[in-house]
Every structure is written in structure tokens, then in C-alpha cells.
Amino acid sequence: WLSNDLKEAFARAGIGHLLAVSGIHMALAALLIGGLTRNLLLRSEWITLRFPVKKLATSLALIGAVTYAGLAGFSPSAVRAMIMIIAFGTAFLIDRPQTPLNSLALAAWALLIFNPMYLFGISFQLSFAAVFFLVMFSSYLRSVPKEEKQDSQKTFWNYIRGFILVSLIATLATTPFVAWHFTRVCLVGLLANLLVVPITSFAILPGLLFGSCLLPLFPELTSGIWQGVGRLLDCTVDLVHCISGWGWSAIWIPRPSILQVTLFYLFLVSLAFTRYWKISRAWAVMFFALLLSV
């Protein structure tokens, strides 16, 4: 139902992932459902004293994630996110360790067993590359220390730093595949993500979900919420068209060789492991220089 012009604008702006139901949408939906359920259950002292509230909320969040993936047509990106959330939630429900890489591997195997040709699809490659490197660089995205949480200004800038790092890592992780499939590199992807992702994640998506919950009881209120979300969405699309209209927002490049793509990903992996193996970052810089020379 989306026009080619709109798809092209999102692609040139480096935020084409927002047009697919991916991990960020699924995680937010699960968090909203689980968080709302937990807060409602905690209001009852009788329920709180007799039942594991967190596990009940997690169970409903998992059901919500499956439902959300079904509404998205069980696309590869939605199924990947759904399986990872189910793996995480199930581990919590049965009191087992929650391991992101194992969950990601489980999602990959499930999709490839169902259809091995997914491996050669751009959606599969971009989705798993982004999540894999976000997991690999997770130590750089550590949460705010307790002693710093009292300083609201420092906490705010720590969250901003984390959001910038997430956008940068996801952009770097997907750039080789984008260059391979589309022979194009987006130069404004980081900026566009910093501007648009917060709007879609913390305003548009919650507004749509909140309105869906209120629809059976307050249809007039839901209509007002969705109209407001619609106006915000129109403004967001205008912003995307503005960014994609810049002549230098995306440039055409020759298709990289398999060796270049491999070296780029080896560089990212080596950079991620410098934090664990105590490897001098000078070696990573030298490796990057070798990559540029190729």
C-alpha cells in the first residue's frame, strides 16, 4: 500500500527499517503490554500476595508479541524478533539464564529450517546483522550506574549517548549489505534515525497501541488519539521527504567485492572484542586501514 516514492524516500534517508515490523516495534509492544499488565496486577494486594505478577505479565507480553507478529504477516524480521522475545521470556518464566546470542541463533535456525532461501534475502541479512552486532557491542551500551542515576543531567546524556551508539552500530552493521544489494550508501542515516526513530517509537507506536486498548470502551477518545497520531505521522513523512531530498543524502557506489564485505565485518568483530580481549585499539585501526586499502 506504500508508494514507490515513499519507499525511496525512506531508503535514501537510511530509515527503511521503519517500514518493516522489526525488533524495536516488537519489543516496545511487548514492554507496553507487559508493563501495563504488571501495573494493573500490582494494584490488587490479593493478587500480588498469591501470584507471581512479573511472570503473569511476561506471559501476556509474549502472547501480545505473537499477536503483533501475526498482524505483520509473520515477515522474517517480525518472526526473528518474536522468537527472540519468546526465548527471552521463556527463559525468565523457567528461571534460566537469558542469553541474547542463543536467542538470536534460535531465531535464525527456526527461519532457515522453515525456508532456507531466507538466507539470501535482504530482510533476513539486514535484520540479523544489525541485531548480532548490537549484541556484540552490548558492553559499550551498559546501563546507567546507580550512583549516576541521581544526577538527572548525567543520566539524560548517558541515554542520549547510548541511543547514538545504537544507531551508529546498526548503521555500520547493515551498510555492507545495503551496498551489496543496492550499490548505494546512505550518508544521513545516523541523523535521520536520531530524528525519526524516537518519534515513531515513543509517540506513534504507543499512541496506536494505546488507542487500540481504549477502542472498545472509549471510541471517541480513541478517534482523537489516532487523529493526533495521524497528524504526527504526516509531519514525520514530510521530514523524511525533506532529508531524502538533499542531493548528498545517498550516493551510488560500485558493488563491493565479497572480500571487502568480509574484511569490513571482521573489522567490526575485532573492534567489538577489543573490550573483552584487552586488544590494543591500534590493531583495530591498522586493520581498518588495511580494509580501506583494499
Side-chain angles (χ1 to χ4, degrees), residues 136-142 161 165 271-272 274-275 281:
M136 294 296 294
F137 283 93
S138 59
S139 62
Y140 293 88
L141 307 172
R142 64 184 185 278
R161 167 184 168 274
L165 282 176
L271 191 62
T274 56
R275 197 174 184 91
R281 284 174 173 77

Side-chain angles (χ1 to χ4, degrees), residues 128-188:
F128 279 88
V131 176
F132 174 77
F133 281 103
L134 285 174
V135 173
M136 294 296 294
F137 283 93
S138 59
S139 62
Y140 293 88
L141 307 172
R142 64 184 185 278
S143 59
V144 180
K146 292 182 179 180
E147 60 273 10
E148 293 185 8
K149 286 187 176 180
Q150 298 178 353
D151 188 340
S152 58
Q153 183 176 359
K154 186 176 292 186
T155 300
F156 172 77
W157 287 112
N158 271 318
Y159 282 126
I160 293 297
R161 167 184 168 274
F163 181 65
I164 293 174
L165 282 176
V166 167
S167 300
L168 179 61
I169 292 167
T171 300
L172 289 175
T174 55
T175 293
F177 283 126
V178 171
W180 172 268
H181 286 279
F182 304 111
T183 63
R184 180 167 62 180
V185 172
C186 178
L187 302 181
V188 296

Side-chain angles (χ1 to χ4, degrees), residues 227-244:
Q227 286 179 16
V229 171
R231 292 191 181 95
L232 181 59
L233 186 57
D234 289 337
C235 294
T236 303
V237 171
D238 291 338
L239 175 62
V240 173
H241 278 294
C242 177
I243 294 175
S244 64

